[in-house]
Amino acid sequence: MTTKQSILAAAAVTALALGTAGCGSDGGELDGLSATEVAERTVEAMNEVESLSVDGTFETPDGEMQLQASISRAGQCTGTMTMTEQGETEFRSVDGTMYIKAADEFWDMTGTDGTELNEKIAGRWLAFPDGQGGSPVGSACDMDQMVAELESEDLGEDLERIDGEDVDGTPTVGLQKQEGEEVRTTYIADSGEAYIMKMTVEGTEDEGSVTYSDYNQKVEVDVPDESDTVSLEEVFS
């Protein structure tokens, strides 16, 4: 899986692996734990999370990509994704329906004539009744998939514990994984629950970072009015 896909899928936390004890913040919740033990505690904590927000920026071969989203395991999701060539895409998900509003270039990327499609949509939200699974940005709102990918991609094998950094006022412990030139660093909260606070990727064509916040906060979704939506059947009939 590429870093770009991890981001769209909203991306970053992990499994477990052998590692050696290292430096961290003094006297924190994770003080004295090895990389493996920190990873285990993080996986346990992340699997109990009911909602969170992500804010990521990555440089890709196609230009900069930004993602801001608030996501819940219950299926509520709201956010924006902005790409250099495809512009801004807005998405909202609630009660099994995903609503998307996007530029022509985004729809072109899905294999559809974006100009023609947006003429039919006429400024409204396109509704996907199959929710996250049936839409082109569904993975960005799938929290179960996000956490599973974080477990396998960023907290897997060959982890090293490193010094953390302050992330939005929270002291952290760093877990680092290197594969070839790519270096992935995950920063874990060293106070309270062992939540992921930040993930960075360096040394690859898709470099960037994602911060995580608003753990277990209610996700409020502004559902579009029915008059401001259009169904797939209407635009493709």
Side-chain angles (χ1 to χ4, degrees), residues 36-235:
T36 298
E37 292 169 329
V38 173
E40 290 174 344
R41 189 169 293 190
T42 302
V43 169
E44 181 179 354
M46 293 301 294
N47 278 308
E48 294 297 320
V49 170
E50 292 300 322
S51 64
L52 54 76
S53 294
V54 298
D55 188 341
T57 301
F58 276 72
E59 294 293 338
T60 78
D62 298 323
E64 185 177 83
M65 177 171 62
Q66 298 178 329
L67 173 69
Q68 293 86 34
S70 295
I71 311 158
S72 78
R73 288 191 191 273
Q76 289 87 2
C77 177
T78 182
T80 61
M81 179 172 61
T82 306
M83 295 179 283
T84 300
E85 296 185 359
Q86 286 79 33
E88 182 179 89
T89 299
E90 299 178 75
F91 53 89
R92 302 173 186 176
S93 179
V94 66
D95 295 333
T97 299
M98 172 73 82
Y99 303 93
I100 298 178
K101 186 179 288 188
D104 297 350
E105 292 78 9
F106 175 83
W107 297 121
D108 288 340
M109 186 178 63
T110 69
T112 302
D113 185 322
T115 301
E116 181 179 342
L117 179 59
N118 268 335
E119 287 178 354
K120 295 180 179 179
I121 293 174
R124 295 169 290 177
W125 294 81
L126 182 56
F128 291 79
D130 293 330
Q132 299 164 6
S135 78
V137 298
S139 60
C141 287
D142 190 333
M143 188 168 165
D144 290 333
Q145 179 180 329
M146 175 185 295
V147 172
E149 288 173 357
L150 291 173
E151 292 177 5
S152 63
E153 294 288 331
D154 299 290
L155 299 177
E157 298 179 351
D158 303 319
L159 291 173
E160 177 184 3
R161 177 170 172 161
I162 65 171
D163 286 342
E165 62 181 47
D166 186 276
V167 179
D168 294 331
T170 300
T172 69
V173 165
L175 293 181
Q176 194 167 86
K177 176 180 180 180
Q178 182 165 0
E179 295 182 344
E181 297 296 318
E182 181 178 281
V183 179
R184 304 175 73 93
T185 306
T186 305
Y187 295 93
I188 313 300
D190 198 19
S191 62
E193 298 292 338
Y195 293 148
I196 294 176
M197 303 302 296
K198 181 179 178 181
M199 182 273 288
T200 66
V201 179
E202 300 174 295
T204 179
E205 62 181 9
D206 295 329
E207 293 192 339
S209 66
V210 184
T211 57
Y212 299 80
S213 62
D214 300 331
Y215 281 98
N216 296 317
Q217 298 298 305
K218 185 176 181 180
V219 176
E220 299 282 359
V221 180
D222 185 8
V223 182
D225 292 334
E226 186 175 349
S227 61
D228 196 28
T229 67
V230 60
S231 68
L232 291 172
E233 290 78 8
E234 290 179 78
V235 297

